[in-house]
Amino acid sequence: MSEGQSKRRVGIVGYGHLGQYLVRRLQDNGLQHGLELAFVWNRDANKLKGTVPVELQLGKLTDFLERRVDIIIEVAHPCIAQAHGESFLKAADFMALTVTMVKHPNSFRLGGHLGELAQGAQQKRTVLYDGPVRRLCPLAPNNVNTMAAACMAAPSLGFDGVKGCLIADPDLPDYHVVETEATGPGGFSVRTRRKNPAACGAVTGAATFTAFWSSLLVCQGHGGRVYLC
């Protein structure tokens, strides 16, 4: 950071594996990138004890304005963004985790009948859901971020026109997979496939941590718009 350049204050909402990683990076490398840790909040505040300085622990999430943050990163649960996202955006730049993958059955966090299907998919590759993203979002809020981002990036299709497919594959013990396909008239199509190393049962792939840190470094203000990172 050049002399005289102001630091951007960052609040972390959620203290799971990704939240802990970002806190460590901000504490170890933040200043050289012009970033300063402003607060850390977690639903279970006991998880912060011994690892996050008391002065950086935020007891009530509604008190975040007191910390004068420039960027808020939500890495907790989608319900947090639903409840507080609007107020976050009024006071700061707000980023959310946007990665969804085809995973080992134990790596999914699903509700309702999808959770039962995933647990029953320990022996063979199983399609858990195949249909409009809108219906999938409330059933798998931790596993549809990529799909939701695609819906927002393609407004002519939206949440009803973009198709989402969740697959549990017991033969993926070491990585997660994201596949996208765009089709057009005359048989035109483009397909991409990404493999992200991950431990069996891990919700977050290894490359996601550094990718999220890179997104934070280039975040310079939302300007009233939504950016997909």
Side-chain angles (χ1 to χ4, degrees):
M1 185 177 69
S2 61
E3 186 176 353
Q5 182 180 352
S6 61
K7 296 187 291 292
R8 292 174 63 77
R9 291 171 55 80
V10 181
I12 303 295
V13 177
Y15 200 61
H17 292 300
L18 184 51
Q20 293 172 35
Y21 170 83
L22 289 170
V23 168
R24 287 196 303 270
R25 289 301 302 263
L26 283 166
Q27 291 176 324
D28 296 341
N29 309 111
L31 290 180
Q32 68 189 73
H33 296 288
L35 299 170
E36 178 183 18
L37 183 62
F39 74 79
V40 183
W41 176 89
N42 195 60
R43 282 184 287 187
D44 181 4
N46 290 325
K47 197 172 182 181
L48 305 177
K49 293 180 179 178
T51 58
V52 177
V54 175
E55 65 271 17
L56 293 178
Q57 297 178 23
L58 183 65
K60 293 170 131 183
L61 190 53
T62 51
D63 293 337
F64 76 93
L65 284 172
E66 299 175 1
R67 301 303 179 101
R68 297 176 289 105
V69 292
D70 300 296
I71 303 171
I72 297 174
I73 304 178
E74 181 271 305
V75 284
H77 188 276
C79 67
I80 300 299
Q82 182 179 20
H84 300 280
E86 185 176 353
S87 59
F88 287 167
L89 282 169
K90 289 179 180 178
D93 304 330
F94 177 47
M95 298 173 60
L97 182 64
T98 56
V99 179
T100 297
M101 300 178 179
V102 179
K103 303 177 179 181
H104 187 279
N106 295 339
S107 293
F108 282 108
R109 297 294 181 269
L110 305 172
H113 70 284
L114 290 187
E116 297 176 3
L117 285 176
Q119 289 306 307
Q122 300 293 331
Q123 302 300 323
K124 64 177 182 178
R125 183 179 174 96
T126 303
V127 176
L128 304 178
Y129 180 89
D130 191 1
V133 172
R134 185 182 298 279
R135 294 206 303 265
L136 179 59
C137 287
L139 297 173
N142 292 311
N143 300 106
V144 295
N145 289 318
T146 295
M147 298 176 188
C151 295
M152 297 171 67
S156 61
L157 296 174
F159 283 80
D160 295 305
V162 175
K163 182 179 177 181
C165 182
L166 277 187
I167 299 175
D169 190 342
D171 293 326
L172 292 181
D174 302 319
Y175 54 88
H176 301 161
V177 173
V178 170
E179 295 179 343
T180 62
E181 182 178 18
T183 59
F188 173 82
S189 67
V190 177
R191 175 175 291 181
T192 65
R193 186 174 191 266
R194 192 190 75 172
K195 294 170 62 176
N196 189 352
C200 185
V203 177
T204 304
T208 303
F209 294 92
T210 52
F212 210 90
W213 173 252
S214 298
S215 295
L216 172 59
L217 294 182
V218 300
C219 182
Q220 296 296 321
H222 61 74
R225 300 180 295 273
V226 174
Y227 290 87
L228 306 178
C229 301

